[in-house]
Amino acid sequence: KTFAGRILVLALRPATCAESCDTQQAKLEETVTAVNASPMRDMVSFLTVTETPEGAHGLEAENWAIARPIDDFAPLQTQLAAASIRPDDRPMLHLFDRQGQHVAIFHGTDFNPLNLLMHINGLTNAHPHPKSEGFLTKLKGWFE
């Protein structure tokens, strides 16, 4: 599956994350449902990266994929967490624009799905940035 030219919402689900990740995934499901009921459906992809098969559940949607890393999960988690200045270990949703640039982080579970939807909507209307290698290019090959 390719994410090129699409907005990507990336959720990490480590094996040690339970209730907070379940809550975050439920809010993500609300957002996926809203996006898929709009013209944005063809511009947005959702990806949950999980360490365990038990974490691979969610809404059945053509634009939502579940993946497991081929190798160790920790480097991916560390690299994405480094983009945040918050010192906590709450789950994060990462947003990438259509050029693969990391543009936002939603921390924890206290966000409103409507805020995530509005941010995604803004990205669908954003003008492209100058061409550069994005973080998504670096992620290529990490998933099975």
Side-chain angles (χ1 to χ4, degrees):
K1 184 163 185 142
T2 180
F3 302 112
R6 296 175 67 96
I7 295 160
L8 177 65
V9 181
L10 173 65
L12 297 181
R13 189 177 175 108
T16 58
C17 186
E19 187 177 329
S20 60
C21 283
D22 288 343
T23 302
Q24 184 187 68
Q25 290 294 290
K27 289 185 176 202
L28 188 56
E29 284 183 20
E30 287 182 49
T31 305
V32 171
T33 300
V35 164
N36 288 349
S38 77
M40 294 184 290
R41 174 185 58 243
D42 296 329
M43 295 180 262
V44 184
S45 291
F46 298 86
L47 175 63
T48 298
V49 179
T50 180
E51 283 185 289
T52 63
E54 300 82 45
H57 63 82
L59 184 69
E60 290 290 325
E62 186 176 313
N63 59 342
W64 191 356
I66 308 291
R68 289 191 355 216
I70 293 171
D71 294 320
D72 188 17
F73 187 83
L76 173 61
Q77 186 176 16
T78 300
Q79 188 170 8
L80 287 169
S84 174
I85 58 171
R86 294 189 185 184
D88 59 28
D89 61 349
R90 296 182 301 165
M92 294 181 237
L93 291 175
H94 299 269
L95 270 69
F96 296 87
D97 67 12
R98 288 183 281 176
Q99 291 75 43
Q101 299 297 313
H102 192 228
V103 295
I105 301 172
F106 280 71
H107 290 83
T109 60
D110 56 354
F111 67 91
N112 185 327
L114 181 59
N115 291 338
L116 177 56
L117 180 66
M118 296 302 291
H119 201 116
I120 292 168
N121 182 288
L123 291 173
T124 65
N125 296 305
H127 296 290
H129 297 287
K131 186 95 173 150
S132 67
E133 182 178 316
F135 184 74
L136 289 180
T137 303
K138 296 175 188 175
L139 286 177
K140 196 174 188 176
W142 285 16
F143 306 108
E144 55 183 32

